[in-house]
Amino acid sequence: MGSLRTALFNFLLARATGGQFLLRVEDTDNKRTVPDAEERLCRDLRWAGLQWDEGPDIGGPYGPYRQSERTALYREYADKLLHSGHAYRCFCSAERLNALAKQRNQLGLPTDYDRTCAAIPAEESGERAAKGEAHVVRLKVPDQYPEFLDLVYGHVGKKKNNGMAFKHGQPAFEDPVLLKTDGLPTYHLANVVDDHHMKITHVIRAAEWMSSTPKHLVMYNAFGWQPPAFAHVGLLQDQDRQKLSKRKFDLSIRTFEQELGIFPEALINYVALLGWSHSQRSDFFSLQQLIDNFDMRFTKGNTIVTFGKLWHLQKHFAQLYAEQGGTEFESIIDRIYSSAAQYSVDKQQNLILRERDLKSYLAMIVRVDAKNFTTVEDFYHRNAYFFEQIVHSDLEPGYQNQSFIHGVPILDLIKAAETISYVNAESWNSTILHSKISEIVTSSTEARGVPIDISSGMEERPSDVDQRALSKALHTYLRWALAGGMPGPSIADIMTVLGRSSTFVRLSDAAKSVREQGASKRESGVPQSEAIALK
């Protein structure tokens, strides 16, 4: 996620300013290089909508764009630093360096180098290297680092005199390695050389690299080059304020895409908000809107990552895609459809679909419930009542065991629900069904007040209050009868999706369950207030 955010900020700056966005592959660390890493990187960036203008796959005027193909250039500039006295060869073995680091650690010192090899005469150093003696090339940092203007943090720079730092009689020098024993460059040298030769004007990177920037400026000054502008953005941290790791939220792009089913625009929108400030009233941005509104107003300090906002954005884009239709909406349906067998939906098709096409049925559900869509798994769990029959006698708690709902006799609600049958198949749509439910409520309260449960202490109220009470009770009963009481789309939308036949099968089953329970109560004896309601 952190790498995606860095790429996104650089992409947005390039697009917002009419610049070029370059993809450069840093593949000079053999120990950490993964065979298919470049392929996955390109795939992930394209999935996220971040298309580059120059890169290893499409070329460009400043290629090659793989650092492993530019090693001769790095050696050339390492030699220039050696000849100018800004670098030196270090022949210390790994054993000596490990022992030195261990000693310094025990003394509470940074594990910096002691410049043992800096005193080797240049001629001797060159001869030993020519004979093939293993060595690295180190940058010889000055006594005082140069300051620089960071676009986020302002003036930054170290004031200490590094060349005179002693503790416990131990000199400490931050002389980073530029060329490794295998002749390949480290990040420090390769990026300075590449940024100059590729004419990079702005670099946005994580704040953890801020401490390395003075070292890079030493090389820019040594070469006589103009450095790019730097903007360091805070790190992404978990709720314990620890840097994100794969065990704590730092998921791969592939995980977001394939396992969670996050939309590219939702993830990009979410990542953009991690450390970037804007003046808009809404946090919802398409990629183009991000480009149009982007500036360098990054927040100082680290950013705590929680996923609540991501799911909120996921719902927003799902609703937007459902309203617009098109390829994004079709992609949602395809993903849900391909998982139907996993959730046993195929086993219920004949009972629910009644010769309708499953894919079209799924599309209807998504359209009415898009504002709640997060993942395919959640979709099937939340909308399970659309895919399986409801056995009302098994529901707990069950309204078949009650005589009143919100003070309204449940038998009155059953009779009211039965009048929905007056809506014919040709008129069976959400708009008409919504009007029909409102008509039922209005007509039931115009003639007289709604019967109220006497035992509850409630009295007859004005018709406007009665109408609200009946409306609430009727909607509660219908949701129980049609959806098992589960939250979700409106009642009219549920009936539209289920279809007229399935709707009345469920209403009939619910009424039967209530009446059977009521008969059982009368036979066993019930309080008078309930007996009145069950007549």
Side-chain angles (χ1 to χ4, degrees), residues 37-312:
E38 181 182 326
E39 180 184 347
R40 288 190 287 110
L41 171 67
C42 293
R43 183 189 62 230
D44 290 346
L45 290 178
R46 283 200 176 97
W47 173 82
L50 308 185
Q51 180 57 52
W52 47 96
D53 302 297
E54 303 173 31
D57 57 335
I58 59 176
Y62 303 109
Y65 293 89
R66 295 183 185 90
Q67 290 186 335
S68 60
E69 299 173 1
R70 301 169 65 87
T71 54
L73 185 65
Y74 307 135
R75 293 193 186 101
E76 174 188 342
Y77 282 96
D79 286 341
K80 289 185 178 183
L81 291 174
L82 288 169
H83 292 151
S84 66
H86 290 93
Y88 60 93
R89 297 183 183 89
C90 175
F91 297 91
C92 292
S93 65
E95 291 75 18
R96 181 185 184 277
L97 294 175
N98 289 335
L100 178 64
K102 183 177 180 180
Q103 179 190 25
R104 287 182 174 280
N105 186 57
Q106 291 174 344
L107 294 173
L109 297 173
T111 55
D112 296 329
Y113 185 54
D114 60 1
R115 271 192 188 169
T116 293
C117 293
I120 299 174
E123 185 177 351
E124 177 186 343
S125 174
E127 290 177 355
R128 292 171 65 175
K131 292 178 181 178
E133 186 174 348
H135 66 279
V136 299
V137 175
R138 291 183 180 271
L139 177 67
K140 189 175 183 179
V141 301
D143 291 343
Q144 187 171 330
Y145 284 125
E147 288 189 6
F148 69 97
L149 178 64
D150 185 85
L151 297 179
V152 178
Y153 290 88
H155 288 281
V156 179
K158 293 188 175 181
K159 298 293 186 179
K160 74 177 184 178
N161 191 326
N162 294 287
M164 300 297 292
F166 281 84
K167 187 174 183 181
H168 298 288
Q170 299 288 327
F173 300 94
E174 296 179 340
D175 291 354
V177 173
L178 303 180
L179 279 184
K180 297 172 288 186
T181 55
D182 58 7
L184 295 177
T186 62
Y187 174 87
H188 302 297
L189 176 63
N191 280 270
V192 168
V193 172
D194 287 345
D195 284 351
H196 172 73
H197 280 269
M198 294 180 180
K199 302 186 183 303
I200 301 300
T201 59
H202 292 77
V203 174
I204 304 175
R205 59 189 182 189
E208 60 187 336
W209 289 105
M210 192 182 301
S211 61
S212 295
T213 304
K215 302 181 182 71
H216 301 165
L217 293 175
V218 169
M219 284 186 275
Y220 278 106
N221 293 340
F223 292 132
W225 296 340
Q226 178 68 33
F230 291 99
H232 290 89
V233 294
L235 300 178
L236 300 182
Q237 296 182 320
D238 60 29
Q239 292 179 317
D240 295 327
R241 296 194 173 277
Q242 299 297 312
K243 183 180 176 181
L244 288 189
S245 65
K246 290 184 179 179
R247 290 182 298 176
K248 292 186 176 181
F249 303 136
D250 197 14
L251 306 177
S252 68
I253 305 304
R254 194 173 183 84
T255 299
F256 283 111
E257 174 193 2
Q258 297 190 357
E259 295 183 22
L260 297 178
I262 299 297
F263 307 130
E265 280 190 295
L267 184 59
I268 285 297
N269 191 166
Y270 172 69
V271 169
L273 299 175
L274 299 176
W276 173 63
S277 300
H278 63 84
S279 58
Q280 302 302 304
R281 293 183 177 181
S282 172
D283 278 342
F284 299 121
F285 294 94
S286 67
L287 184 57
Q288 185 58 52
Q289 289 171 329
L290 285 172
I291 294 171
D292 294 340
N293 289 279
F294 187 74
D295 52 32
M296 300 285 280
R297 289 189 296 176
F298 300 119
T299 57
K300 294 181 180 180
N302 299 327
T303 300
I304 304 299
V305 174
T306 58
F307 285 133
K309 188 71 172 182
L310 176 59
W311 296 122
H312 185 55

